[in-house]
């Protein structure tokens, strides 16, 4: 890698990220059924109908996976906790094997000198709660608060940081409007409610953890730069609409206690009654904000369609195997914008950034110069914003290892470590070795 640790300020944190359903192996250890199991079992939703039953077998390989993180030399590990592993029915009966697992994970990190950064929800909702309407049901905020309470009773005294929800846009829009993720709905009313309730659940969980005296609590949102297909005013406005739904709705809710007019134009009639009253919970102060960033979209007006009447176009930049354009400038734009418009002096983190590629093992080696280049390009942007005085305090790579890429199954390889999904053998890629060396420099 071009970049080295010494180019960053003292105390700047490097990390890697994963999530529970994508790696643990959900069929192990008494976890309850989730809406991702249901979604994957429905024909046409997931490539090859793959699900998280085995993941990367991380549940059974915890200690050696923690050793890998240690070998990489990162400072912090961002993992998520599965609601259904802790509470198989979503409420009530606790699965002690689940709590024990997360305790071993946190203690194992601390023993290795790595900071544990927990995310409480990374998308696998317990099926019994989905049966009750899931994110459409306002009660989910208190169910989530109760889950937070049970889990933090066990690990709350040892985690370094906590974010309640990973990427509210995915929970709300991607899953209830576009239908690409569980529960696979395409329904504007469900979308409005899910987008609002996910923020209410976020704020409720922050309050539960504050009442336990916890600190270093944050919010993690995802961002995609919206580029108008050309500079005609209607296309510029379409990109602004895309931007408002994707990049501004959740930030504005959490940090300003309001929603953007461009989103209310479509969703307001479908929001729950007295939604404005919930901002006192939603915008409960947090200690930091995390940004997940991968790509940009090229957007045009689509006047003959219903709101939000925009369409996505193929751009001309190089793409990853996700079909995502590589646009490092978007990362620095979003970091600067977050600080200027939403978060002020609050510490910011890049909580996810990385790329997928069809990486193969050849003679025991996985050569992935594309990934090293991607990370170098994005870290150069990170360095620029730090030099410009933005309080960016850390950068996490998605992901430690190849894993279950949701509706695309196991073929999209985002890892620094290659995983053979038949044997679960781990092989650190060349990018892993390059990063380890850069972090020692
Ligand atoms: C997300 C998620 C991860 C994904 C990763 C690649 O940002 O979508 O947090 O679960 O696997 O981003 O798509």
């Amino acid at each position: 890698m071009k970049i080295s640790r010494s180019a960053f300020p003292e105390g700047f944190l490097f990390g890697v990220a994963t999530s529970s359903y994508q790696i643990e192996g959900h069929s192990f250890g008494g976890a309850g059924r989730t809406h991702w199991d249901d979604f994957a079992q429905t024909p046409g939703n997931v490539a090859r109908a793959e699900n998280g039953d085995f993941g990367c077998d991380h549940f059974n390989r915890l200690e050696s996976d923690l050793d890998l993180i240690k070998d990489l030399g990162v400072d912090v590990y961002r993992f998520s906790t599965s609601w259904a592993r802790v509470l198989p029915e979503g409420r009530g009966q606790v699965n002690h094997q689940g709590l024990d697992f997360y305790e071993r994970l946190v203690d194992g990190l601390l023993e290795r000198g790595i900071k544990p950064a927990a995310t409480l929800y990374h998308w696998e909702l317990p099926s019994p709660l989905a049966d009750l309407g899931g994110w459409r049901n306002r009660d989910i905020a208190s169910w989530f608060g109760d889950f937070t309470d049970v889990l933090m009773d066990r690990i709350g005294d040892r985690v370094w940081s906590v974010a309640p929800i990973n990427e509210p846009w995915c929970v709300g829009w991607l899953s209830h409007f576009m239908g690409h993720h569980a529960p696979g709905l395409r329904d504007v009313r469900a979308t409005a409610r899910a987008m609002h309730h996910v923020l209410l659940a976020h704020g409720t969980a922050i309050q539960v953890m504050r009442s336990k005296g916890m600190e270093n609590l944050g919010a993690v949102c995802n961002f995609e730069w919206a580029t108008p297909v050309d500079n005609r005013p209607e296309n510029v406005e379409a990109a602004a609409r895309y931007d408002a739904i994707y990049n501004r709705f959740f930030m504005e809710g959490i940090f300003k206690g309001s929603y953007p007019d461009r989103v209310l134009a479509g969703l307001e009639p479908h929001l729950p009654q007295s939604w404005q009253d919930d901002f006192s919970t939603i915008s409960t102060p947090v200690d930091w904000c995390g940004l997940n960033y991968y790509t940009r979209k090229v957007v045009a007006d689509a006047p003959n369609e219903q709101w939000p009447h925009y369409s996505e176009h193929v751009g001309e930049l190089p793409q990853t195997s996700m079909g995502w354009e590589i646009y490092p400038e978007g990362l620095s734009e979003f970091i600067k914008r977050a600080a200027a418009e939403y978060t002020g002096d609050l510490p910011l983190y890049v909580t996810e950034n990385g790329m997928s590629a069809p990486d193969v093992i050849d003679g025991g080696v996985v050569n992935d110069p594309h990934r090293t280049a991607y990370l170098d390009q994005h870290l150069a942007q990170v360095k620029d914003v730090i030099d410009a005085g933005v309080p960016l305090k850390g950068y996490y790579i998605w992901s430690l290892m190849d894993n279950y890429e949701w509706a695309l199954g196991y073929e999209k390889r985002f890892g620094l470590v290659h995983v053979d999904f038949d044997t679960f053998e781990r092989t650190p890629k060349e990018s892993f070795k390059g990063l380890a060396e850069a972090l020692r420099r």
Side-chain angles (χ1 to χ4, degrees):
M1 284 191 79
K2 290 198 190 116
I3 223 96
S4 58
R5 189 192 277 277
S6 58
F8 292 83
E10 183 79 38
F12 186 82
L13 299 175
F14 287 90
V16 280
T18 64
S19 92
S20 44
Y21 193 80
Q22 293 179 274
I23 66 166
E24 286 174 2
H26 200 74
S27 57
F28 308 121
R33 194 172 171 87
T34 79
H35 71 177
W36 263 96
D37 303 305
D38 304 326
F39 184 75
Q41 206 178 322
T42 311
N45 281 341
V46 178
R48 298 166 298 276
E50 288 167 349
N51 63 23
D53 275 1
F54 300 103
C56 302
D57 196 35
H58 173 69
F59 185 82
N60 299 310
R61 292 163 194 257
L62 178 62
E63 295 295 327
S64 51
D65 284 344
L66 297 182
D67 288 341
L68 271 174
I69 303 170
K70 169 94 183 150
D71 292 345
L72 182 57
V74 289
D75 313 295
V76 47
Y77 175 53
R78 177 172 177 259
F79 62 97
S80 80
T81 52
S82 165
W83 192 339
R85 184 177 292 293
V86 174
L87 299 170
E89 297 291 315
R91 298 180 289 178
Q93 192 68 43
V94 172
N95 172 30
H96 290 284
Q97 278 190 78
L99 282 180
D100 292 348
F101 174 72
Y102 292 120
E103 181 163 57
R104 279 194 285 132
L105 169 52
V106 169
D107 288 344
L109 288 167
L110 293 173
E111 280 159 21
R112 289 167 179 81
I114 303 161
K115 297 180 186 343
T119 303
L120 301 183
Y121 182 81
H122 198 126
W123 309 350
E124 67 275 47
L125 187 71
S127 295
L129 301 183
D131 296 339
L132 299 172
W135 291 104
R136 283 175 290 166
N137 188 333
R138 180 183 179 83
D139 291 343
I140 197 159
S142 62
W143 304 333
F144 187 63
D146 293 345
F147 160 57
T148 304
D149 189 48
V150 168
L151 183 63
M152 288 308 144
D153 270 347
R154 182 65 83 87
I155 61 171
D157 58 336
R158 276 156 292 164
V159 284
W160 172 71
S161 75
V162 185
I165 311 262
N166 179 65
E167 302 188 348
W169 178 87
C170 290
V171 178
W173 192 265
L174 185 68
S175 307
H176 294 82
F177 195 84
M178 300 176 76
H180 292 179
H181 277 190
L185 292 179
R186 298 190 64 248
D187 183 304
V188 71
R189 182 173 164 94
T191 304
R193 279 151 199 266
M195 284 170 71
H196 182 69
H197 293 149
V198 76
L199 289 180
L200 189 60
H202 157 86
T204 304
I206 296 288
Q207 292 184 349
V208 166
M209 291 188 282
R210 288 288 185 226
S211 74
K212 294 178 158 339
M214 291 178 62
E215 287 170 10
N216 208 17
L217 310 178
V220 171
C221 294
N222 53 322
F223 298 82
E224 263 188 20
W225 194 255
T227 304
V229 70
D230 58 34
N231 52 21
R232 277 186 295 169
E234 61 271 29
N235 293 328
V236 172
E237 177 55 31
R241 211 152 49 236
Y242 187 96
D243 184 50
I245 294 168
Y246 204 116
N247 305 312
R248 293 190 182 275
F249 182 86
F250 304 98
M251 291 292 279
E252 191 170 317
I254 294 170
F255 293 103
K256 294 188 174 174
S258 59
Y259 291 145
D261 290 338
R262 284 190 176 90
V263 185
L264 290 176
L267 294 190
E268 184 161 17
H270 310 293
L271 282 169
Q273 255 184 4
S274 310
W275 51 275
Q276 295 91 338
D277 297 347
D278 291 330
F279 284 123
S280 55
T281 303
I282 291 172
S283 47
T284 303
V286 290
D287 304 311
W288 55 270
C289 177
L291 292 82
N292 294 356
Y293 176 78
Y294 293 90
T295 188
R296 71 163 189 177
K297 282 284 152 54
V298 178
V299 180
D301 190 31
N304 297 326
E305 285 179 22
Q306 301 209 66
W307 186 89
H309 49 87
Y310 53 60
S311 55
E312 293 177 18
H313 290 248
V314 181
E316 75 284 358
L317 301 177
Q319 296 178 1
T320 71
S321 72
M322 292 290 282
W324 291 350
E325 285 191 301
I326 300 174
Y327 183 60
E329 297 79 3
L331 178 59
S332 44
E333 290 302 325
F334 277 128
I335 297 169
K336 286 186 277 184
R337 183 167 107 178
E341 297 186 32
Y342 298 100
T343 57
D345 296 335
L346 224 53
L348 297 173
Y349 295 87
V350 176
T351 30
E352 282 181 30
N353 180 233
M355 73 172 289
S356 69
D359 300 322
V360 289
I361 304 192
D362 187 5
V365 174
V366 183
N367 221 337
D368 59 341
H370 39 268
R371 181 166 293 100
T372 301
Y374 182 101
L375 298 177
D376 264 328
Q377 287 167 8
H378 287 79
L379 278 166
Q381 299 288 326
V382 163
K383 208 177 136 22
D384 282 353
V385 299
I386 297 172
D387 292 346
V390 179
L392 186 76
K393 303 295 181 192
Y395 171 87
Y396 298 70
I397 293 163
W398 184 273
S399 178
L400 170 65
M401 56 187 154
D402 297 339
N403 58 48
Y404 180 65
E405 181 54 28
W406 306 111
L408 302 172
Y410 288 95
E411 79 181 34
K412 303 296 179 198
R413 297 181 173 276
F414 274 90
L416 294 166
V417 176
H418 180 278
V419 177
D420 177 323
F421 289 106
D422 295 318
T423 63
F424 298 115
E425 190 179 343
R426 274 83 163 130
T427 308
K429 301 178 187 176
E430 292 306 292
S431 58
F432 178 104
K433 299 175 196 166
L435 178 65
E437 205 228 297
L439 292 177
R440 283 192 298 267
R441 278 204 298 264

